[in-house]
Amino acid sequence: MTSGECPVLQLRLLVETDDYDAAVQFYRDELGLPEQAAFAGAGEARVAILDAGRATLELANPAQRRLIDDAEVGHPSGPRIRVALEVADTTEMTERLVAAGATLVSSPRQTPWRSLNARLDAPAGLQLTLFQELEPLAQRAGRPGFGTHAGRAGDSTDTSRPAPGVRRHPSPRNAISASSIERDDGRASQG
C-alpha cells in the first residue's frame, strides 16, 4: 500500500428495518439517495443499496459526543450511532424530510465548526444529522480546534497546529460556545 492510499474502498452501513418499503421510500425517494442495486431472496428477503456519496467514519469520545449534542440539539440526544449526511441546503432538506415523516429533534442551527446542522429521528430507527458546510474546508482548517492527530506534536489534546485540508471538530478545550457564534445575518445563533 502506498502512502495516502486507503485500503477500504467503500463504507457501507447496513440497517435492519421492520418497514422496508417505508424506509426505502423515505431514503431513496424523499432524501434522494440513488439506488445502486436491489436484491431479493428466499423468505421475502430484500435489500436496497443506496448511494450516499462519499463516506467517512467519525469516531468521538464521550466528551466530544456531548459537545456535538450540545451544539446541535442543546442537550444529550440520540443513540451511540448516528448518521450524518452533508446536504446542499439543511433547512430545505429538514422541511422535506419532516413532511415525509421524520421527527424533528432540533431545527437547523449553526455549530462552532461552521456548519448548519439539524437533527431528525428517521425511519429504520436512525437518528440523522443533516449538515451544510458554511465555509470551505481550507478556511475551517485554519481555525482553532481543527486539524488531525498527525498534525499535532504528540499531545492528543494539542490542536494548535491543524493540518490543512482536514476537518476535525473542536476539542472541548478549544471549543467555541455555540451561543458565541454569529449567524450570517449578524444575529447570535441559538445554542
Side-chain angles (χ1 to χ4, degrees):
M1 177 170 44
T2 63
S3 176
E5 182 180 311
C6 182
V8 177
L9 302 179
Q10 180 181 156
L11 172 67
R12 186 172 288 176
L13 176 68
L14 183 134
V15 178
E16 179 182 344
T17 176
D18 292 330
D19 193 340
Y20 174 83
D21 292 325
V24 169
Q25 192 272 330
F26 181 86
Y27 292 101
R28 184 191 60 201
D29 302 338
E30 299 299 334
L31 184 56
L33 302 180
E35 187 174 289
Q36 286 185 336
F39 303 98
E44 299 183 21
R46 294 188 294 164
V47 65
I49 300 170
L50 306 179
D51 182 355
R54 185 178 69 93
T56 59
L57 178 61
E58 186 172 355
L59 303 174
N61 67 11
Q64 181 65 29
R65 181 172 176 259
R66 287 189 300 271
L67 179 88
I68 294 168
D69 279 349
D70 186 54
E72 291 181 359
V73 182
H75 57 80
S77 176
R80 290 176 58 95
I81 295 176
R82 178 178 35 82
V83 177
L85 302 169
E86 183 177 5
V87 296
D89 185 330
T90 297
T91 302
E92 184 276 328
M93 186 59 75
T94 298
E95 291 169 358
R96 178 178 174 170
L97 296 183
V98 167
T103 302
L104 184 67
V105 174
S106 179
S107 297
R109 61 172 63 189
Q110 192 176 122
T111 67
W113 42 92
R114 298 290 296 144
S115 59
L116 185 63
N117 294 22
R119 192 80 70 91
L120 305 168
D121 284 331
L126 289 178
Q127 189 167 92
L128 303 179
T129 290
L130 302 178
F131 70 98
Q132 172 185 347
E133 299 296 11
L134 300 175
E135 292 179 344
L137 185 58
Q139 187 175 352
R140 288 192 321 269
R143 292 184 177 275
F146 288 82
T148 65
H149 286 284
R152 291 185 259 134
D155 180 349
S156 65
T157 61
D158 178 14
T159 57
S160 60
R161 297 185 320 156
V166 178
R167 175 181 178 220
R168 193 171 78 79
H169 296 300
S171 70
R173 186 184 78 164
N174 293 336
I176 302 167
S177 163
S179 62
S180 70
I181 299 287
E182 273 199 81
R183 298 184 337 183
D184 291 333
D185 62 8
R187 295 182 299 167
S189 69
Q190 298 177 19

